[in-house]
């Protein structure tokens, strides 16, 4: 199988060495500086004399530069495929087993493009699909009809198809002829999905069935002590959950709740999952701070596991919220879900709902009243 794949990509070496077409017209946007390469010139200075309104020249420069970016991405894809094949050939000559050839290529691509190793592997996969299986999409990228993100969408939505069916979809859509001109991302994804389903409905159904097994929930930090709590769910379940939150928000707003719609939805989600309006429960938060920060109002930051560094005052407020939190109650379900009204406004910037006035000075709560899992290491001299 590996030998077949290498033969399929063999033609990409010579193709990769042919530079992608670069837009010829860049009015005042680029200049070549010996020893430094291409550089941007001042777009407001027209070195060739008056040629029309400045705004028109500027928008032309933006358009030309965007087309150049797409052409460069296409050339990077060709070079990445050529590099992958060259590495495999060199490893074969060195006696490396076929099952181990190509290892580390994605990491090298990532290093060259200043991306993470995981992103490098994704970029290499995108390049292989474009160069060896989707020439029309690659041509559209080279000519500036598509950008890298939209080319990625086309590759992603045809990943479940065979090589032949993917090539057929690539031919049917013919993005380089203007099929997607003026269309948004959603329209492009819908068109590709429809074309893929027409070609191989069974593979598309299998892909959807497998995707349901990858449902998960993830958490990542956001600025200003906020977080992104993301759930990957099957379509029906995700739509049902969002509809329930929407109904709860509409009900609260119609009853005079001053919070925004999104705020009510976020607060309702937290209450239904944790059982309390503020989200402070018996869950192990693992908040770590020094005794000076806790008792003496020191400004040394604390650390919240799963998030990172948090302000000292924010952490002390969290301690107070933990002591004041009501006892855990069973979340409401079913029709009662949309009737929840007992949330405090604006759960967000500080742990104690929407309090904009932080508690001044050290709190007087005992350490025994801290949220479950908080650690207070000895102060460092």
């Amino acid at each position: 199988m590996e030998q077949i794949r290498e033969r399929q990509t063999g033609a990409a070496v010579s193709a990769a060495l042919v530079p992608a077409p670069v837009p010829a017209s860049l009015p005042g946007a680029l200049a070549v500086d010996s020893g430094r390469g291409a550089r941007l010139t001042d777009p407001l200075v027209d070195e060739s004399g008056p040629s029309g309104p400045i705004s028109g020249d500027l928008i032309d420069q933006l358009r030309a530069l965007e087309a150049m970016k797409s052409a460069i991405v296409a050339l990077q894809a060709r070079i990445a495929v050529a590099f992958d094949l060259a590495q495999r050939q060199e490893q074969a000559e060195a006696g490396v087993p076929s099952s181990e050839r190509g290892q580390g290529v994605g990491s090298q691509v990532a290093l060259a493009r200043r991306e993470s190793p995981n992103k490098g592997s994704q970029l290499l996969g995108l390049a292989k699909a474009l160069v060896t299986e989707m020439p029309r999409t690659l041509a559209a990228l080279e000519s500036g009809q598509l950008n890298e993100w939209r080319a990625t969408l086309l590759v992603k939505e045809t990943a479940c198809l065979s090589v032949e069916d993917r090539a057929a979809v690539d031919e049917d859509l013919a993005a380089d002829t203007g099929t997607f001109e003026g269309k948004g991302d959603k329209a492009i994804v819908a068109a590709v999905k429809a074309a893929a389903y027409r070609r191989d409905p069974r593979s598309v159904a299998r892909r959807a069935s497998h995707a349901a097994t990858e449902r998960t929930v993830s958490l990542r930090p956001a600025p200003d002590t906020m977080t992104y709590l993301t759930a990957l769910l099957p379509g029906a379940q995700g739509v049902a959950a969002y509809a329930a939150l929407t109904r709860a928000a509409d009900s609260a707003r119609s009853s005079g709740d001053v919070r925004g719609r999104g705020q009510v939805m976020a607060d309702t989600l937290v209450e239904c999952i944790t059982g309390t309006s503020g989200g402070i429960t018996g869950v192990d938060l693992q908040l770590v701070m020094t005794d000076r920060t806790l008792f003496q109002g020191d400004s040394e930051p604390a650390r919240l596991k799963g998030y990172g560094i948090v302000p000292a005052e924010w952490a002390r407020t969290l301690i107070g919220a933990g002591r004041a939190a009501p006892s855990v109650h069973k979340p409401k379900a079913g029709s009662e879900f949309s009737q929840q009204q007992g949330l405090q406004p604006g759960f967000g910037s500080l742990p104690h709902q929407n309090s904009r006035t932080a508690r001044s000075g050290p709190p007087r709560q005992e350490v025994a009243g801290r949220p479950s899992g908080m650690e207070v290491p000895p102060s460092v001299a």
Side-chain angles (χ1 to χ4, degrees), residues 29-41 47:
L30 288 176
V32 178
D33 187 357
S34 177
R36 296 184 179 179
R39 61 182 176 84
L40 287 175
T41 61
E47 299 176 354

Side-chain angles (χ1 to χ4, degrees), residues 51-121:
S51 59
I54 291 179
S55 60
D57 290 341
L58 293 178
I59 202 66
D60 288 341
Q61 289 183 28
L62 285 177
R63 187 178 296 108
L65 288 170
E66 187 64 28
M68 177 175 281
K69 283 168 55 180
S70 297
I72 290 173
V73 168
L75 181 56
Q76 285 180 317
R78 291 183 181 276
I79 293 175
V81 172
F83 174 72
D84 176 64
L85 187 58
Q87 283 277 287
R88 291 175 182 274
Q89 290 175 343
E90 293 171 4
Q91 292 168 355
E93 293 172 359
V96 177
S98 59
S99 60
E100 298 179 7
R101 296 173 195 168
Q103 293 183 2
V105 173
S107 297
Q108 294 184 70
V109 171
L111 185 63
R113 295 193 58 174
R114 299 181 179 179
E115 298 281 2
S116 67
N118 182 59
K119 180 67 173 178
S121 297

